[in-house]
Amino acid sequence: MENCWEIVLFVTTIILFPAVIILYQRKRCSNGSRVRIPLGTLGWPYVGETIEFISCAYSDRPEKFMEKRRRKYGKVFKSHLFGSPTIVSTDAEVSRFVLQSDARAFVTSLPKSLTDMLENSIMLLNGSLHRRFHGLLGSFFKSPHLKAKITLDMQNYLKETMGNWRDDHRICIQDEAKNAKKKLIELVRTIIQDKRRRGISVTPQDAADVLLTDASEELTDDLISGNIIDLMIPGEDSVPVLIALAIKYLSDYPLALQQFIEENLELKRVKDQDGEHLSWNDYVSLPFTQMVITETLRMASIIPAVIRKAMRDVEIKGYLIPKGWCVLTSFTAVHLDENLYDQPYQFNPWRWQDKEMCANSYSFTPFGGGQRLCPGVDLVRLETSIFLHHFVTQFSEQSSINVKNSLCRILLQMAGRNRIPRDAFDNRRGYPPEGPLVRVPLPRQMPPHPAMLEEELEMQHMEIRRLLGENRRLVEDRVALQRELGAAKEELHHMNVVIGDIRAEQEMHSRELIERGLKLEADLRATESIRNEAVQLRAEVKKLNATRQDQAGQIQNLSQDLAKLKADNQQIPRMRSEIDGLHQELMRARNAIDYEKKANIELMEQRQAMEKNLVSMAREVEKLRAELANGGDGRPWGAGGAYGMKYSSPEGSFPGPYGDGYGAHLGGADKGPLYGSVVFYLNRVHYLRQLIGKVEAGGKVYLLS
Ligand code: HEM
C-alpha cells in the first residue's frame, strides 16, 4: 500500500512538473514584455531531451540534435538537458554574449545530475576566486619560459618515441599523443608532493608554483591541488584528439598534405643547415601549419559546447533566458554554420588566409571566450605543431610517399578502433590516382559480432543516405553553378563591351587632358614675359613708392610754405592799393619828367643858340680886336665883349630864358634844385619798378611808408 502511494506521488510529480514549468513560462511571457522564452520542447519529464542529445553526441553526426531543432525552432531554442531546463544557442551572437557576460549574469555550472555522474568531482570556481586562478594560470601558460621548456621536453620525448615506431607495428596516434599527457600528469603530481615536502619555491617554475606562491589565503592547498588536476583534464584528451584529427583531415586532402609537408620540410632543412634547434617561435610561425590547426579546430570542435547558468533573467536578441535556467552554447553548430563558412564540411585550411575571416572572432570559438577563455590556447597550438612537425619530417626522410603510406596505416588502425569512418581508407579518397598505396596486412581478427555488423550496416546506410543527400546537393549546386556561369559569361561579355566603351572614353579623356596640358604649357610660356614685366613693375612700384614718400615729405614742406604764403597773400590787397597809389605817383612823376624833358630840350636849344651867338660874338670880338690892333680907336675891349656884359655872370645882359619863374639859373650851382628833383623822381620810379617786379615775382614787400 505504501509503495502504491509512492507510485502515485511519483506519477503525479512527473505530470505536474512540466505543467508547472509551462505555466511559469506563460506567466513570464505575458507580463507585457515583447521578449519571450525561445521556442522548443522540454521533452520527457526529468529526462527531458537528454537521451537524444547523448545518442546524437555518440553518433557520426553529433550536430544532428542541433540541426533538427534549429530548422524547427530557430537558432536559439529551449530544451531540457541533464535535469535542467536549458536554452540552447547555435547563434554566434547570442553565444558570444553569454560567454562575455560576467558572474552577475551567468556562472559556470554543470547540471547537478552531470556533476554527480562525473567520478572526478569538478571544482567550479566563479567570481573573484575564479578570476585570480585564471589570471595566474593564464600568464604562466603564456610565459616564454614555459613554452621553451615544453618545446624541449616534447622534442626529446617525440624523438625517442617515434624512433621506436616500426613499419610492421600498429601505431595509435591518439594514444601515443595521450601518453605524453599521462607522463605530464604524473610529473605534476610528483612535483606537487615534492613541493609540499620541501616547501614553496620562491621563483615559480610551474603552474603549481604559481598557485602556491600566491599570497592570498583563499587559495588553499586543497583548492590548488584540485584545480591542478582539473587543469590537466582538458589537456589530457583535447590535444591528442586534435592531433589525430589533423592527421586524418590532412590525409583526406592531398593538396593540403603536400603543402603541409613542404612547409615543415623547408623549416627542417633551414634549421639543419644553420645547425640550430627549433624554438617554439619557429613552430607557431609556420603559416600553413597554423591554418591546418585552425581548420581542424573548426571542423572537429573538440569542446563542442559549454554550459552556463543564468543568475538573473537575461534578455538577448528578443529572447528571455530565465533565472536558474542553463544555457548551452554550441560551438559545433556555429563552426559548421553555412551562413558563416562556405562549404562548412569541407576541410579547407586556405579559408583562413582571408583576414576578415580571422578577424570575425565570435564565429570561431573553439577555446570559448570571455573570462573563461581557455588559457591553454598557445600551448595547444605549440604542442600540436611540434607533434605534426616531427611526425611529417621524421617519416619523410625516406620519401614523402612513405609519409602518406604511414598516414594510411595509422588511419587504418584508427578506423579499426572505430574513431574515424572507414571511408577514410576504404577507397583512394584524397590520394593522387597514380601514387602507390601500399596496404599493410592487418593482423588477423576474430569475425565480428552480428550486432556489430548490423550496427556497421546501419552506419553504412546512414552514410549512403548522407552521401546521396550530398550528391543531390552537389547536383543542385552544379546546376546552380552552371546557371551562374552562363549569367557570369553574359555579364562578362557585357562588361567587355562596357570596358571597351570606358577605354575609348578614357582615351578621349586622356587626349583632351594632353591637349589641355599642352595649352597650359604654352600659356605658361606666354605668361613668362608677363611675369618678367610684373617683376619690373613691382620694382618700379617700389621706386615710385619711395618717390611718393619723398614727395609726400616735400608736399608737407610745400603745404607749410603755402600756408605761410596764404598768410602773406592776405597782405596783397593792401599792397595793391599801395602800389596803385605809387602808380599814380609814378604817373605824376612821369608827367613831370616829360615836362622837364621838354623844358630841358628847349633849354638845350636856347643854349645851343646862345653858344652860337657867343661864338659869333667871340668871332666879332676877335675881329674888332684885330681891327683895333690894326687901327684902333682906343676903346677898351674887356672881357664881356663889346656889349659890356659878362657871360655867365649875374649881371649879364642876357637873362635866362626861364627867368625867376623857375628859380633856375644857368650857373651850375643853381641848377641843383631843378635837377635834384628830377633825379629824385627818377630814383623813385626806379625804386617802384623794382618793387612791382618783386611783387609780381611773389616776393615779400614791406611798405614802410
Ligand atoms: C584542443 C585543445 C583545447 C581546447 C579545444 C580547449 C577548449 C577550452 C574551452 C572551450 C574552455 C572554456 C570552458 C568554459 O568556458 O567553460 C577551456 C577552458 C580551460 N582550458 Fe582548455 N582547451 C584545450 C586545451 C587545454 C589545455 C592543453 C589546457 C592546459 C594546459 C587547458 C586548460 C584550460 C583551463 C584551465 C580552462 C578553464 C579556464 C577557466 O575556467 O577560467 N585547455 N578550454
Side-chain angles (χ1 to χ4, degrees), residues 569-580 701-703:
N569 281 349
Q570 281 169 358
Q571 307 279 353
I572 286 174
R574 197 164 56 82
M575 281 168 65
R576 280 232 169 96
S577 65
E578 221 170 279
I579 288 165
D580 284 349
V701 177
Y702 298 99
L703 295 178

Side-chain angles (χ1 to χ4, degrees), residues 275-294:
E276 283 176 16
H277 286 296
L278 282 159
S279 70
W280 61 273
N281 216 16
D282 291 325
Y283 289 113
V284 291
S285 61
L286 291 172
F288 190 70
T289 304
Q290 291 312 313
M291 288 195 289
V292 165
I293 295 174
T294 310

Side-chain angles (χ1 to χ4, degrees), residues 169 198 243 250 270 276 317 340 490 501 529 552 563 620 642 696:
H169 271 144
R198 280 188 287 130
I243 292 170
L250 279 172
V270 171
E276 283 176 16
K317 276 180 100 174
L340 298 170
E490 245 176 57
D501 286 355
S529 62
E620 259 183 62
E696 279 171 356

Side-chain angles (χ1 to χ4, degrees), residues 269-551:
R269 194 185 58 76
V270 171
K271 288 284 159 179
D272 284 351
Q273 212 171 32
D274 299 347
E276 283 176 16
H277 286 296
L278 282 159
S279 70
W280 61 273
N281 216 16
D282 291 325
Y283 289 113
V284 291
S285 61
L286 291 172
F288 190 70
T289 304
Q290 291 312 313
M291 288 195 289
V292 165
I293 295 174
T294 310
E295 184 66 350
T296 309
L297 282 165
R298 180 190 71 80
M299 280 190 72
S301 289
I302 290 155
I303 306 279
V306 294
I307 300 177
R308 298 277 189 275
K309 189 177 176 183
M311 298 307 286
R312 55 176 166 82
D313 281 1
V314 178
E315 292 174 20
I316 166 80
K317 276 180 100 174
Y319 299 115
L320 171 72
I321 302 172
K323 181 180 171 183
W325 282 43
C326 282
V327 185
L328 185 140
T329 61
S330 166
F331 299 152
T332 317
V334 173
H335 291 166
L336 297 175
D337 187 340
E338 55 194 6
N339 295 320
L340 298 170
Y341 296 96
D342 190 29
Q343 295 189 318
Y345 288 92
Q346 285 276 321
F347 180 75
N348 175 10
W350 295 276
R351 74 170 85 235
W352 298 101
Q353 277 170 332
D354 183 357
K355 296 243 163 57
E356 263 179 46
M357 178 76 86
C358 299
N360 190 2
S361 59
Y362 62 92
S363 55
F364 180 68
T365 50
F367 298 104
Q371 289 178 350
R372 290 189 181 268
L373 176 79
C374 172
V377 180
D378 288 0
L379 287 190
V380 170
R381 282 187 180 274
L382 181 65
E383 289 177 8
T384 313
S385 310
I386 296 175
F387 192 100
L388 292 177
H389 173 81
H390 284 268
F391 182 66
V392 293
T393 53
Q394 206 143 317
F395 283 88
S396 66
E397 267 163 12
Q398 299 152 40
S399 75
S400 71
I401 290 165
N402 264 357
V403 175
K404 290 171 198 163
N405 291 343
S406 306
L407 282 172
C408 235
R409 275 198 301 280
I410 288 155
L411 287 164
L412 279 164
Q413 285 146 13
M414 284 171 75
R417 289 165 60 87
N418 208 14
R419 286 178 193 244
I420 53 168
R422 280 178 174 270
D423 65 355
F425 63 90
D426 278 348
N427 53 26
R428 298 195 63 91
R429 220 180 99 194
Y431 291 91
E434 73 280 4
L437 177 63
V438 183
R439 285 185 188 271
V440 178
L442 285 170
R444 277 175 182 275
Q445 287 177 349
M446 292 291 288
H449 190 273
M452 267 178 74
L453 279 176
E454 261 176 34
E455 198 185 310
E456 184 124 335
L457 257 174
E458 173 64 19
M459 265 173 64
Q460 278 177 359
H461 268 297
M462 275 162 68
E463 190 57 30
I464 287 166
R465 270 203 300 277
R466 189 176 68 81
L467 284 173
L468 276 175
E470 252 176 42
N471 220 14
R472 218 174 302 122
R473 269 206 298 277
L474 277 173
V475 170
E476 279 167 17
D477 280 357
R478 195 164 161 256
V479 172
L481 278 173
Q482 262 173 349
R483 229 178 286 135
E484 269 175 36
L485 194 74
K489 269 185 192 162
E490 245 176 57
E491 183 77 18
L492 201 71
H493 175 70
H494 179 67
M495 291 293 277
N496 275 340
V497 173
V498 174
I499 286 169
D501 286 355
I502 292 172
R503 267 201 200 133
E505 231 172 71
Q506 268 182 346
E507 259 173 41
M508 254 176 62
H509 190 62
S510 52
R511 235 177 286 134
E512 257 175 39
L513 281 177
I514 291 168
E515 275 171 21
R516 253 190 240 167
L518 288 173
K519 257 189 200 169
L520 279 174
E521 257 178 47
D523 286 354
L524 207 68
R525 252 178 268 126
T527 50
E528 196 83 343
S529 62
I530 295 173
R531 217 176 49 170
N532 291 344
E533 268 175 38
V535 172
Q536 276 179 2
L537 281 175
R538 236 178 257 152
E540 272 175 35
V541 166
K542 257 190 205 168
K543 268 189 209 163
L544 283 173
N545 273 345
T547 330
R548 197 170 60 99
Q549 275 174 354
D550 269 8
Q551 284 182 350

Side-chain angles (χ1 to χ4, degrees), residues 87-278:
I87 303 292
V88 180
S89 162
T90 64
D91 180 292
E93 209 182 323
V94 173
S95 297
R96 179 178 175 240
F97 173 81
V98 173
L99 292 175
Q100 302 280 347
S101 299
D102 61 18
R104 281 168 297 181
F106 294 101
V107 293
T108 296
S109 158
L110 290 180
K112 199 170 173 311
S113 58
L114 206 58
T115 37
D116 290 349
M117 258 164 56
L118 294 165
E119 292 164 18
N120 243 342
S121 73
I122 289 177
M123 298 184 117
L124 292 170
L125 298 180
N126 279 300
S128 63
L129 201 55
H130 164 254
R131 274 201 299 278
R132 186 180 295 278
F133 259 104
H134 194 99
L136 289 169
L137 292 176
S139 50
F140 177 66
F141 284 150
K142 282 200 184 312
S143 73
H145 167 76
L146 178 76
K147 285 172 183 170
K149 194 169 179 303
I150 286 192
T151 309
L152 203 69
D153 288 354
M154 264 199 87
Q155 277 174 4
N156 292 338
Y157 175 76
L158 287 174
K159 266 183 201 157
E160 194 192 309
T161 317
M162 286 182 180
N164 294 328
W165 289 3
R166 293 216 178 75
D167 278 0
D168 54 347
H169 271 144
R170 190 191 276 215
I171 302 148
C172 302
I173 291 291
Q174 196 170 330
D175 289 352
E176 289 296 335
K178 217 183 215 177
N179 280 341
K181 286 289 164 193
K182 269 185 187 157
K183 280 205 169 187
L184 269 176
I185 292 171
E186 276 162 30
L187 203 71
V188 171
R189 275 192 192 133
T190 346
I191 288 168
I192 291 173
Q193 282 160 9
D194 249 27
K195 280 177 203 305
R196 286 211 187 103
R197 259 200 315 274
R198 280 188 287 130
I200 306 158
S201 149
V202 185
T203 345
Q205 297 291 320
D206 50 44
D209 272 354
V210 172
L211 298 177
L212 286 167
T213 46
D214 186 72
S216 154
E217 282 178 10
E218 287 173 308
L219 305 187
T220 58
D221 270 11
D222 275 357
L223 208 59
I224 292 170
S225 52
N227 269 276
I228 288 283
I229 304 298
D230 288 349
L231 186 72
M232 303 316 296
I233 294 170
E236 192 199 359
D237 233 27
S238 53
V239 180
V241 170
L242 177 67
I243 292 170
L245 285 170
I247 292 172
K248 184 237 179 283
Y249 291 136
L250 279 172
S251 64
D252 275 356
Y253 293 85
L255 273 179
L257 176 65
Q258 195 180 336
Q259 193 167 335
F260 186 87
I261 292 171
E262 276 167 12
E263 188 179 71
N264 279 274
L265 282 178
E266 176 61 15
L267 175 71
K268 189 174 186 300
R269 194 185 58 76
V270 171
K271 288 284 159 179
D272 284 351
Q273 212 171 32
D274 299 347
E276 283 176 16
H277 286 296
L278 282 159

